Amino acid sequence: MSVKIKALLETAPEGQQVTVQGWVRTFRANRFIALNDGSTLGNLQCVVDFEDFDETLLKDVTTGSALKISGRYVESQGKGQTADIQVEDLLIYGTADPESYPIQPKKHSFEFLREKAHLRVRTATFSAVMRVRAALAYGVHKFFREEGFHYVNTPIITGSDAEGAGEMFRVSALDTKNPPLDENGNVDVSQDFFGKETHLTVSGQLEAETYAMGLGEVYTFGPTFRAENSNTTRHLAEFWMIEPEMAFFDLNDNMDLAEKFIKSVLTYALDNCKEDLAFLDERYAKEENSKPKAERSEMGLLEKIQFIVENDFKRVSYTEAIDILRNCKPNKKKKFKYLIEEWGADLQSEHERYLVEKHFKTPVILFDYPAKIKAFYMRMNEDGKTVRAMDILFPGIGEMVGGSQREERLDVLQERIKAMGIDEEELWWYLDLRKFGSAPHSGFGLGFERLVLFATGMGNIRDVIPFPRTPQNASF
Ligand code: 4AD
Ligand code: MG
């Protein structure tokens, strides 16, 4: 049985016989193999006495090759590591031709590595990011489980448009070259696989609501899809969303839960990803230092995470936020691309980032948005103008969470559905919830990659998901 390098590096070297398996990061001086198996950031040094081995065999020990090594685990003679393996047996599973293997021991740009997304996890940075991602996902399930929530899986193929945004990918099994037509010459969707038009889901919320109305507190954690043509460092066409939905929660309970949730998951990462986060902290500091002074972040990565965990999020109503924005310098000096003129304006990411990064300098929960700019399912306030919505805005990221208290009154909901031109027929089951045992309830959605982006200090959302899907790009 082989051991994981992580476990071995935590064991005292006493000359014990061990076997490890992994990939070569570097092979120096025909003697020192730095082996990595993905279990941890650190490499294990394996020392080869070349007299013991056939020269042609050692030629195949190249960066990227996969090895099985057995030997004695001893205190290191050299500097830089406390222990290493004196290699006695070496098996090469597969070599990697140095002429064509792209991941060489030198600095590669993230743009270059995106084109090698199938191999980039073999670099220190991407392996660290992906280990942190996995830990955060575990932290998500741990938090909800311990809070008494039930994990539910909502459908990926859907017949409804949850956000009413219309930015959906169509799902069809029809022959695109020769689709069946109806008598008017339109594509006859009744002959499609599901007998109707279907799409990839933009959110599991509506289905999660049905489960909250029976299980009480539930959450989803699954892939969601948006066909919006946003080529930014914060948008993916396929991303993972965490959506809790809670019966008997009002908007304040919702905000409390969201804040507690984010803090808990980040704390989990701080406690369980020390080595990877220290490495990413260093990377982040280097990157910040290469920027002009005015653009540099005031805090390091670990400091930023710590700051979020230790400080209360600032809660501000949309109306207050608009007042701040209307009177702020970049608005008056026409520095914003979209100027804030009147109440009711939709907030763009430049506004959100101004509030968080320049004005409050802390995460902000904005609530009570104008009904006009929010989805149909949000609960109408007494004023008849605003809805019980909340967005959580993060420094460097913008919107991290979007959520609301849901409209539980059948008549009010039907009115809004009509006003927004949504087809009530499709939502019959959603309206049933308001007919049979309706109750106040709330929920929110957190974009998992945005959280990973924040926690790892990476600059582009394409670098925190294994295989990013963005406009014009679905390789791998
Ligand atoms: O604000 P959104 O659109 O909210 C919903 O979908 C609600 N149904 C959630 C709910 O109440 N259950 O999306 C929620 C979050 C955003 O705050 C953002 O973090 C993330 O999902 N998000 C994206 N992340 C990456 N790429 C995109 N294109 C994203 N669009 C939204
Ligand atoms: Mg939103």
Side-chain angles (χ1 to χ4, degrees):
M1 254 305 264
S2 67
V3 284
K4 290 284 180 204
I5 290 174
K6 179 178 167 49
L8 196 58
L9 292 174
E10 288 162 2
T11 315
E14 292 166 340
Q16 62 271 51
Q17 198 71 34
V18 294
T19 300
V20 290
Q21 307 181 87
W23 293 267
V24 176
R25 284 284 169 80
T26 57
F27 185 27
R28 262 189 317 117
N30 233 11
R31 189 165 163 78
F32 303 105
I33 299 172
L35 197 72
N36 190 287
D37 67 358
S39 61
T40 185
L41 184 71
N43 300 325
L44 177 69
Q45 175 159 285
C46 307
V47 186
V48 187
D49 243 326
F50 60 86
E51 287 134 27
D52 299 348
F53 291 90
D54 181 11
E55 213 175 297
T56 52
L57 176 85
L58 291 187
K59 269 213 179 80
D60 283 341
V61 178
T62 54
T63 292
S65 55
L67 308 183
K68 176 175 175 175
I69 284 177
S70 299
R72 288 189 321 118
Y73 186 51
V74 296
E75 262 176 51
S76 182
Q77 306 293 307
K79 281 196 200 124
Q81 64 281 316
T82 54
D84 51 36
I85 288 190
Q86 297 293 321
V87 180
E88 288 167 5
D89 248 321
L90 188 155
L91 171 73
I92 303 174
Y93 288 119
T95 187
D97 176 15
E99 297 297 316
S100 50
Y101 182 58
I103 314 292
Q104 292 300 324
K106 60 167 191 172
K107 198 167 161 48
H108 296 294
S109 75
F110 291 151
E111 289 79 8
F112 171 80
L113 289 172
R114 255 169 242 150
E115 286 164 16
K116 314 283 179 226
H118 58 309
L119 299 171
R120 66 180 178 171
V121 76
R122 299 190 197 180
T123 65
T125 301
F126 282 92
S127 69
V129 167
M130 294 308 160
R131 274 189 300 270
V132 172
R133 180 182 166 108
L136 288 166
Y138 183 73
V140 168
H141 287 296
K142 184 172 181 301
F143 172 82
F144 284 119
R145 187 87 207 146
E146 288 172 6
E147 290 282 316
F149 282 60
H150 303 287
Y151 176 43
V152 302
N153 301 111
T154 48
I156 289 169
I157 298 172
T158 170
S160 64
D161 176 1
E163 290 303 295
E167 291 164 327
M168 306 178 86
F169 291 101
R170 198 174 311 124
V171 174
S172 170
L174 291 178
D175 178 1
T176 46
K177 286 212 188 92
N178 192 17
L181 302 177
D182 62 17
E183 59 242 36
N184 301 321
N186 298 321
V187 175
D188 184 5
V189 289
S190 72
Q191 291 188 51
D192 205 343
F193 190 91
F194 297 105
K196 61 185 272 193
E197 213 174 284
T198 47
H199 298 93
L200 292 178
T201 188
V202 295
S203 158
Q205 177 197 324
L206 303 192
E207 291 89 351
E209 280 186 53
T210 70
Y211 265 62
M213 290 294 117
L215 290 180
E217 284 156 25
V218 300
Y219 71 103
T220 70
F221 185 175
T224 48
F225 308 85
R226 304 220 174 157
E228 51 188 341
N229 199 4
S230 300
N231 241 319
T232 78
T233 55
R234 309 278 175 266
H235 287 87
L236 290 165
E238 176 180 296
F239 63 100
W240 287 65
M241 199 176 357
I242 297 142
E243 295 184 274
E245 194 67 37
M246 298 76 65
F248 315 115
F249 269 49
D250 67 13
L251 189 70
N252 283 320
D253 302 327
N254 200 21
M255 293 196 264
D256 290 346
L257 180 81
E259 184 168 344
K260 186 175 174 190
F261 164 58
I262 292 173
K263 287 177 171 170
S264 158
V265 176
L266 289 176
T267 302
Y268 183 82
L270 284 176
D271 292 346
N272 292 278
C273 306
K274 290 207 168 79
E275 195 185 35
D276 287 324
L277 287 178
F279 172 81
L280 291 168
D281 183 65
E282 233 171 83
R283 190 209 73 81
Y284 182 78
K286 271 189 214 137
E287 190 177 282
E288 288 299 305
N289 275 331
S290 70
K291 292 182 186 168
K293 249 202 168 122
E295 286 171 33
R296 279 182 214 163
S297 161
E298 285 168 26
M299 284 187 233
L301 174 62
L302 285 168
E303 268 178 299
K304 285 201 308 173
I305 302 174
Q306 207 76 47
F307 183 86
I308 299 287
V309 167
E310 287 167 5
N311 288 282
D312 288 345
F313 296 3
K314 179 92 188 154
R315 300 185 188 191
V316 185
S317 74
Y318 167 89
T319 303
E320 285 172 74
I322 283 291
D323 279 342
I324 294 166
L325 289 169
R326 208 181 323 179
N327 297 313
C328 74
K329 248 195 203 155
N331 200 54
K332 293 201 150 151
K333 295 200 163 163
K334 304 205 186 322
K335 289 268 159 63
F336 283 148
K337 191 165 164 229
Y338 299 90
L339 294 179
I340 297 287
E341 269 147 18
E342 53 194 305
W343 191 94
D346 203 353
L347 299 185
Q348 305 297 325
S349 88
E350 56 181 345
H351 309 127
E352 299 178 339
R353 293 183 68 163
Y354 174 84
L355 288 170
V356 175
E357 287 159 27
K358 298 279 187 294
H359 191 85
F360 290 111
K361 295 185 190 261
T362 184
V364 173
I365 312 185
L366 284 187
F367 62 92
D368 284 353
Y369 281 76
K372 268 200 311 225
I373 58 171
K374 288 291 184 187
F376 73 91
Y377 51 71
M378 299 187 177
R379 194 179 198 282
M380 187 63 79
N381 275 314
E382 303 292 286
D383 62 12
K385 289 197 312 194
T386 59
V387 286
R388 303 243 75 192
M390 65 112 172
D391 276 7
I392 303 186
L393 313 178
F394 255 56
I397 304 283
E399 183 185 331
M400 177 74 83
V401 162
S404 65
Q405 185 170 335
R406 319 305 189 191
E407 185 55 78
E408 85 284 14
R409 298 162 296 185
L410 180 65
D411 51 335
V412 184
L413 184 60
Q414 276 170 324
E415 226 171 87
R416 286 212 69 205
I417 287 177
K418 202 181 283 163
M420 296 182 97
I422 300 166
D423 182 9
E424 205 184 294
E425 299 273 284
E426 278 298 332
L427 289 171
W428 64 272
W429 51 276
Y430 188 73
L431 291 168
D432 263 6
L433 297 179
R434 278 75 185 167
K435 292 179 190 161
F436 311 126
S438 188
H441 61 290
S442 300
F444 62 83
L446 176 140
F448 185 54
E449 283 73 21
R450 294 204 181 163
L451 183 68
V452 182
L453 198 57
F454 178 78
T456 57
M458 297 294 280
N460 193 316
I461 201 163
R462 293 167 176 81
D463 296 332
V464 301
I465 186 167
F467 298 104
R469 268 80 183 96
T470 49
Q472 299 299 310
N473 168 41
S475 302
F476 308 101

